[in-house]
Amino acid sequence: MPVFETSSAAETRSLGRRLAASLKPGCVVAFYGALGAGKTTMIKGIAEGLGVRETVKSPSYVMATVYEGVLPVSHVDLYRVSGPEGLGSIDLEGYISEKGVCLIEWADRAEETLPEERISVHIEFSGTGRKVRIQGLEVLPD
Ligand SMILES: Nc1ncnc2c1ncn2[C@@H]1O[C@H](COP(=O)(O)OP(=O)(O)OP(=O)(O)O)[C@@H](O)[C@H]1O
Ligand SMILES: [Mg+2]
């Protein structure tokens, strides 16, 4: 499992750009990490890498946004979902498509609903930086 230490938001974002190059249509990427860990920051980099020109913002209030890049990029934020019944308020499966990629923040809130075949990104605070573990990929090409 590829593991990285990033010492700034810019580095996390650039790691996102790198990960974007490994994503194919239909990919689901689940993000795990505490408040402020850097999930949205990394997703901004992925979107950039996939050619999204629009500014990616945290979709907390709308729960999901679909951007157009070289393929559709769904950004889902499950922060406000609590318990399995809370998931009823969002059509998560509707945002997972064979044509695009689906990036899910607070994925632990939907663990049961997530496809088994996915990439999981775990971000932890590490000193003043972050430790980023990418599960579901053997290597992350440069
Ligand atoms: N190494 C780093 N990687 C990512 N973000 C960093 C890093 N160092 C500092 N930061 C800062 O931490 C914050 C991360 O915010 P971000 O919105 O990406 O987190 P998040 O995990 O999406 O939070 P939330 O749970 O609220 O959705 C930003 O203010 C960013 O500038
Ligand atoms: Mg966020």
Side-chain angles (χ1 to χ4, degrees):
M1 168 168 57
V3 181
F4 302 88
E5 294 268 348
T6 62
S7 54
S8 67
E11 273 184 41
T12 300
R13 193 168 167 143
S14 124
L15 190 57
R17 278 197 302 270
R18 234 173 110 185
L19 176 57
S22 294
L23 299 181
K24 293 171 184 64
C27 276
V28 172
V29 189
F31 288 83
Y32 302 85
L35 267 178
K39 302 177 291 297
T40 303
T41 301
M42 186 151 168
I43 285 171
K44 284 174 193 275
I46 294 177
E48 199 181 325
L50 292 173
V52 172
R53 283 160 176 265
E54 226 176 307
T55 304
V56 172
K57 289 184 237 143
S58 195
S60 285
Y61 293 96
V62 289
M63 296 253 242
T65 312
V66 183
Y67 298 96
E68 276 305 321
V70 293
L71 40 69
V73 179
S74 300
H75 178 195
V76 180
D77 191 329
L78 301 177
Y79 179 62
R80 291 185 308 145
V81 168
S82 54
E85 67 285 354
L87 253 189
S89 59
I90 182 172
D91 172 26
L92 180 60
E93 275 136 346
Y95 287 100
I96 297 176
S97 129
E98 288 174 13
K99 296 196 184 91
V101 304
C102 184
L103 314 173
I104 307 167
E105 291 194 47
W106 293 99
D108 46 298
R109 308 271 209 263
E111 206 56 39
E112 314 282 282
T113 316
L114 296 176
E116 241 170 82
E117 197 179 312
R118 65 173 188 265
I119 294 169
S120 295
V121 176
H122 301 266
I123 310 181
E124 287 161 46
F125 291 86
S126 167
T128 57
R130 304 291 190 271
K131 183 173 175 185
V132 183
R133 291 181 294 129
I134 304 177
Q135 206 180 336
L137 277 186
E138 280 186 16
V139 288
L140 188 65
D142 282 333

